[in-house]
Amino acid sequence: MPSLIKEVRKLFDTEDLYEVLGVQRSATKSEVKKAYYKLSLIVHPDRVSLDDRSLATKKFQALGKVYSILSDDEKRVVYDETGSIDEDDVERDRDWSDYWRLLFPKVDLDAIKDFEAKYKGSSEELECIKDAYLKCKGDMDGILNSVLCSTIEDEQRFRETITKLIGENQLPEFDAFANESADKSAARKRKAKKEAEQAAKVLKKMESATGSNNLEALILRNQKNRQEASEDFIRQMESKYGASQGRSSSGTRSKKGANAKRSLRSAKK
């Protein structure tokens, strides 16, 4: 069994427990709990696609362990002073989903929707977008996976925000962002469509077994509807303007494909 430090390094690319939660060492208990809550929402196994569920579960469990250390005064003091963790203090066999529900018993679909509505478009989200852009060096796949509550339908909004920040010299221009290939963009849309289809299958089974009041079923249904609406719009625009055209013989995108991309952006504004 790997140590917690090795576990978080593998999952979050850092050995610093505070960095995992995105807080300062001087953070209060309330700030630590709030950070844990927000991050756990991102990787909660009930909120990710089936393909990502295994990794999300590992991250969700690791976050619970990190929080259990930093929320305990004695364990936190030891960690702050030594930079290490007594592995005997790490609860390995705990049900971290039950632990999460004990900490946040009022979390339901309405609470999640309310949080998303307040978070999207906020200054907090803006800082997260900037951090994700820098960390991922402009890679949109990484940005969408990093920003809280983001889905494929947020891509255009993120692009417009980042482009504005680049124009204001608040962010550098990365080639991965400025010159993303049509194939990469199309692959991202195909993945979103596949996830929506998988969610629909799971939803159908769950509704058949338990009815439509199940929280996970409702979340999956909401995700499916939003993703399918986005895909329908994109499909219509590609059909109209030919955005799915391949590259020309010279190795560059066809003029028609470039015009389609600009038209799509204009239409979404």
Side-chain angles (χ1 to χ4, degrees):
M1 181 72 67
S3 68
L4 179 57
I5 295 295
K6 290 182 179 179
E7 193 175 347
V8 297
R9 181 176 62 209
K10 180 179 180 180
L11 293 171
F12 300 100
D13 198 29
T14 180
E15 295 184 355
D16 189 323
L17 301 190
Y18 291 98
E19 192 172 321
V20 170
L21 295 184
V23 297
Q24 300 294 322
R25 287 182 171 268
S26 58
T28 65
K29 274 191 171 183
S30 177
E31 290 171 334
V32 169
K33 186 175 182 178
K34 181 180 179 182
Y36 168 56
Y37 172 64
K38 285 164 49 176
L39 284 173
S40 62
L41 278 179
I42 298 177
V43 299
H44 196 291
D46 289 347
R47 286 181 51 80
V48 300
S49 68
L50 296 181
D51 287 345
D52 297 330
R53 187 161 295 177
S54 177
L55 178 59
T57 299
K58 292 177 182 178
K59 288 186 175 182
F60 182 76
Q61 293 171 344
L63 284 174
K65 297 171 190 174
V66 169
Y67 178 72
S68 71
I69 297 295
L70 297 185
S71 62
D72 184 288
D73 291 337
E74 292 184 6
K75 295 176 183 178
R76 183 172 176 177
V77 167
V78 171
Y79 175 71
D80 287 348
E81 292 180 349
T82 67
S84 60
I85 299 169
D86 185 343
E87 290 300 315
D88 290 336
D89 289 337
V90 180
E91 300 180 63
R92 294 288 176 182
D93 299 323
R94 186 164 194 167
D95 187 323
W96 295 105
S97 292
D98 286 345
Y99 177 65
W100 192 82
R101 283 190 288 268
L102 286 172
L103 289 172
F104 312 112
K106 295 182 180 180
V107 173
D108 55 18
L109 183 61
D110 288 336
I112 292 172
K113 285 183 175 180
D114 183 61
F115 177 81
E116 289 184 353
K118 293 178 180 178
Y119 184 76
K120 290 193 174 186
S122 67
S123 58
E124 195 172 5
E125 184 199 45
L126 178 61
E127 290 304 312
C128 188
I129 292 172
K130 291 162 68 175
D131 290 343
Y133 176 80
L134 292 171
K135 181 179 179 180
C136 301
K137 298 187 183 303
D139 179 72
M140 184 54 70
D141 288 337
I143 295 170
L144 288 172
N145 286 331
S146 299
V147 178
L148 185 65
C149 300
S150 64
T151 66
I152 189 69
E153 65 183 2
D154 292 304
E155 179 178 346
Q156 183 61 26
R157 181 168 64 90
F158 286 2
R159 284 195 175 278
E160 292 170 357
T161 297
I162 293 169
T163 299
K164 180 180 178 182
L165 292 171
I166 292 173
E168 295 173 348
N169 295 319
Q170 293 189 48
L171 289 175
E173 183 176 61
F174 290 116
D175 183 69
F177 176 79
N179 300 303
E180 183 182 57
S181 70
D183 289 343
K184 193 170 188 296
S185 177
R188 182 164 55 250
K189 294 179 177 67
R190 286 195 299 271
K191 182 181 178 183
K193 181 180 179 180
K194 180 180 178 182
E195 290 174 352
E197 291 171 346
Q198 290 175 328
K201 291 179 181 178
V202 173
L203 175 61
K204 185 175 181 179
K205 291 181 180 179
M206 292 178 67
E207 287 184 330
S208 175
T210 64
S212 61
N213 292 325
N214 183 281
L215 172 60
E216 182 176 6
L218 290 172
I219 291 173
L220 287 168
R221 174 187 291 168
N222 185 52
Q223 179 188 51
K224 172 181 176 291
N225 289 341
R226 289 188 302 173
Q227 288 179 333
E228 287 190 338
S230 176
E231 286 300 314
D232 285 342
F233 175 80
I234 293 170
R235 200 158 41 241
Q236 291 169 13
M237 294 302 297
E238 288 179 339
S239 175
K240 182 176 181 180
Y241 295 104
S244 60
Q245 290 285 336
R247 294 177 176 274
S248 65
S249 59
S250 62
T252 60
R253 293 181 192 172
S254 67
K255 182 176 181 181
K256 186 176 181 181
N259 289 338
K261 188 173 182 181
R262 285 194 292 274
S263 299
L264 178 56
R265 286 178 175 172
S266 298
K268 279 195 172 185
K269 289 182 180 179

